[in-house]
Amino acid sequence: MPTPSDIPLAPVRSVNAFDAACILAALWALVRVLRVARWRMKTTRLRGPPSTSIIYGVSRDIIVSTNTNAMYERWAEEYGVAYVIPTVLGSSAIVLCDPKAIAHFYARETWTYVLTPFASRLLKGVIGSGLLWVEGETHRRQRKSLTPAFSHAAIRQLTSVFYDSSYKAKSAWDAAIESSKEGTAVIEVQNWMNHVALDTIGIAGFSHDFGSLDGKHSVVTEVLDNFRGNPKASALNRFVFLLAQVFPVIAKTPTHRRKLIDKLNVAMGEISNDLLIRSRREKDMNVSDTDVGKSIMELLISAEDQDAELYLSNEEALSQIKVLLLAGYETTSITLTWALIELSQHPNVQARLREELLVFGPDPTYDQLKANLLYLDAVVHEILRLHPAVPEFTRIAAADDVIPLSEPVCTASGKMTESISVAKGTFISIPAASINCSTAIWGPDAKQFKPDRWLTEEGISGKAKEVQGHRHLLTFVDGPRTCIGKDFAIIEIKIVLSVLVKHFVFELRAPETRVKILRGILPRPRIVGENGFGVPLRIRRHE
């Protein structure tokens, strides 16, 4: 007769494990149901577009659309300045298109409205615990530690760096035109704007020359370029990206894009660590550069002191370098590329801008760039209006809130309301690019490239004046997360354009040229019909 010790225990353990799994699944389902019930009770039920997919809602439509701005604007016209869109697997997001509601939202960002779990995981993996990732008090401390590097006085000292990069590009283009029998050259300007932006942020921010304009290979550029132009991987990437909105852990799926993110993280980490080590060594040797009195790197080194008021850990310091390298490179090069495209498409604007620059004469100083060249300022801000580097922002409510509206909207039950209640866990989206060119906000000419709108008080419509971002734009967002490098970027863009437009004439290669958006880390322009992601323009010297 078998003894109790002879009876196999595996089946018992298996049943227990199964029971435990069932209990956990039931608890998860119960918590989910209770959360949904609470959300429904505390959140204003708004109207919105119907779902076009059981799995994706309208999320896939937004991603694949060739004119996402028009979709958001059409929905706002039909459902009001606040509406709800169905997203992945039955989730939803409230979309705000109302200046008053958006101002309320941005004033509470990093506290009431925070990164979504997916965005948090993605940013943490690429840039670490830097300024783009942290929230609340930690965000305030990190931002305050970096603010002196982006003051007017600090940027004023960096104008020579911006000019050096611009003139390096000019010299290379002169050589290309000189070697051409036709007196013109077809130049892939997006690649060159990448070089200008990377070398500029390297020298201005970290006293490090990547040498991109001199032909040196850059791992950062290589990896970022690989994010674009991968049609075979795009379907899987899109599927993983959308599902990861609900299940962030899916973002770890080893897709081609995931591997590129990992490679980018390694490359950025190595570069950041090298910059930090070199700067510490120079500090110990009492080596300083008087031309960059308050460089970003010096501030990071100073903040590593345990006794510093705004102390940054080693991990935080490395993360700030990653943030500023990525943000200072990608966003600026995209904006400069769009600027050259728009000027090529509007030769009258290009000629008027060139005339202002030539009449002014020598290279303008920092203060002259801010105060004297009004048409240059108008052109730059019209580019920023029509082509924000980040077209949309989505956050999640970390606490219950009530968002005021400037005009009432009709709820799903047919009642009118001048405010909407949102429960903790609600997703909120701000379609910045759509709002920047909304006819309801900017008037009937909102879609036109029209720099003159910035030259008179009447050029900005009354509704647009209610938008509280920089110059009534959401390009640099608003509130605690307003882009810390805003003034740095604007002056760099102005200097690059002032040098290039004064010396060259830009033209499209063909009148029928069309431009499309290619998604990478951020959306970039691409000429339809061109291989890869280049933006070739025909360039000749201005005589």
Side-chain angles (χ1 to χ4, degrees), residues 169-190 192 340 344 350 503-510 535-543:
K170 174 193 174 297
S171 296
W173 293 5
D174 275 331
I177 294 171
E178 187 70 30
S179 62
S180 170
K181 295 180 181 179
E182 294 81 15
T184 67
V186 174
I187 293 177
E188 204 289 272
V189 297
Q190 182 150 239
W192 279 97
L340 297 180
S344 298
Q350 183 182 162
H503 293 92
F504 301 107
V505 177
F506 299 89
E507 300 171 342
L508 298 172
R509 287 207 290 181
V535 179
L537 299 177
R538 188 171 298 281
I539 298 176
R540 57 183 169 87
R541 289 197 189 97
H542 171 70
E543 301 298 339

Side-chain angles (χ1 to χ4, degrees), residues 442-460:
W442 287 87
D445 60 358
K447 307 295 187 294
Q448 299 175 24
F449 179 69
K450 186 181 175 183
D452 278 328
R453 77 176 74 246
W454 299 97
L455 299 178
T456 63
E457 186 67 24
E458 298 76 28
I460 309 298

Side-chain angles (χ1 to χ4, degrees), residues 188-191 193-194 228 330-342 345 383 387-389 514-520 522-528 530-537:
E188 204 289 272
V189 297
Q190 182 150 239
N191 190 41
M193 294 306 99
N194 292 347
R228 300 175 286 273
E330 185 84 344
T331 57
T332 304
S333 63
I334 289 172
T335 304
L336 284 168
T337 303
W338 274 118
L340 297 180
I341 291 173
E342 290 287 3
Q345 292 175 325
I383 298 293
H387 305 290
R514 292 184 298 118
V515 182
K516 66 180 292 186
I517 303 297
L518 197 63
R519 294 182 181 273
L522 298 174
R524 273 185 177 269
R526 173 193 173 189
I527 301 298
V528 175
E530 293 291 336
N531 294 326
F533 44 86
V535 179
L537 299 177

Side-chain angles (χ1 to χ4, degrees), residues 160-173:
S160 61
V161 175
F162 302 151
Y163 276 116
D164 286 346
S165 295
S166 303
Y167 275 104
K168 278 188 177 182
K170 174 193 174 297
S171 296
W173 293 5

Side-chain angles (χ1 to χ4, degrees), residues 194-490:
N194 292 347
H195 296 332
V196 168
L198 183 62
D199 284 4
T200 298
I201 189 62
I203 296 171
F206 311 107
S207 302
H208 173 78
D209 188 358
F210 286 99
S212 182
L213 285 163
D214 298 320
K216 292 182 181 178
H217 174 261
S218 168
V219 177
V220 175
T221 303
E222 174 196 339
V223 175
L224 289 173
D225 285 349
N226 284 331
F227 273 96
R228 300 175 286 273
N230 293 291
K232 292 182 180 180
S234 61
L236 177 60
N237 288 334
R238 188 159 54 239
F239 176 76
V240 171
F241 174 81
L242 289 170
L243 289 187
Q245 311 293 319
V246 177
F247 304 108
V249 70
I250 293 177
K252 291 187 175 182
T253 302
T255 62
H256 178 71
R257 193 179 189 88
R258 178 69 252 176
K259 292 175 183 177
L260 285 175
I261 289 175
D262 292 340
K263 186 175 180 180
L264 176 63
N265 189 27
V266 171
M268 297 281 282
E270 291 175 351
I271 292 169
S272 302
N273 196 50
D274 288 345
L275 292 175
L276 204 55
I277 291 173
R278 190 201 67 188
S279 297
R280 288 186 188 126
R281 187 183 304 120
E282 291 178 353
K283 179 187 178 185
D284 293 339
M285 296 170 61
N286 293 319
V287 176
S288 64
D289 187 344
T290 56
D291 290 333
V292 191
K294 289 187 176 181
S295 71
I296 298 169
M297 189 59 74
E298 284 189 350
L299 288 169
L300 293 176
I301 295 297
S302 299
E304 285 190 310
D305 187 339
Q306 291 279 357
D307 297 326
E309 177 188 359
L310 302 171
Y311 169 72
L312 292 178
S313 68
N314 180 70
E315 181 188 1
E316 287 178 320
L318 285 171
S319 295
Q320 306 311 344
I321 299 174
K322 291 181 182 181
V323 169
L324 297 167
L325 275 175
L326 194 59
Y329 165 80
E330 185 84 344
T331 57
T332 304
S333 63
I334 289 172
T335 304
L336 284 168
T337 303
W338 274 118
L340 297 180
I341 291 173
E342 290 287 3
L343 292 174
S344 298
Q345 292 175 325
H346 299 86
N348 57 327
V349 173
Q350 183 182 162
R352 183 175 168 186
L353 174 59
R354 184 177 298 107
E355 181 181 1
E356 179 186 65
L357 294 167
L358 291 171
V359 169
F360 186 84
D363 290 333
T365 65
Y366 171 84
D367 296 297
Q368 290 167 337
L369 284 164
K370 288 185 71 68
N372 297 85
L373 295 160
L374 300 183
Y375 198 64
L376 173 62
D377 182 79
V379 168
V380 169
H381 281 87
E382 188 69 345
I383 298 293
L384 293 170
R385 183 181 75 85
L386 289 174
H387 305 290
V390 183
E392 180 182 337
F393 302 87
T394 299
R395 299 290 185 261
I396 188 170
D400 296 348
D401 192 26
V402 177
I403 301 176
L405 303 174
S406 63
E407 59 184 82
V409 296
C410 182
T411 66
S413 63
K415 295 181 179 179
M416 302 300 292
T417 180
E418 294 184 348
S419 65
I420 55 175
S421 299
V422 297
K424 178 180 178 180
T426 303
F427 288 92
I428 305 289
S429 286
I430 310 293
S434 177
I435 292 166
N436 276 0
C437 61
S438 165
T439 302
I441 294 175
W442 287 87
D445 60 358
K447 307 295 187 294
Q448 299 175 24
F449 179 69
K450 186 181 175 183
D452 278 328
R453 77 176 74 246
W454 299 97
L455 299 178
T456 63
E457 186 67 24
E458 298 76 28
I460 309 298
S461 73
K463 194 72 173 178
K465 290 177 183 177
E466 297 176 17
V467 179
Q468 294 187 17
H470 167 76
R471 299 286 287 273
H472 313 298
L473 300 175
L474 296 181
T475 304
F476 298 104
V477 303
D478 196 16
R481 283 197 182 275
T482 298
C483 176
I484 194 171
K486 167 177 60 67
D487 293 325
F488 181 103
I490 290 173

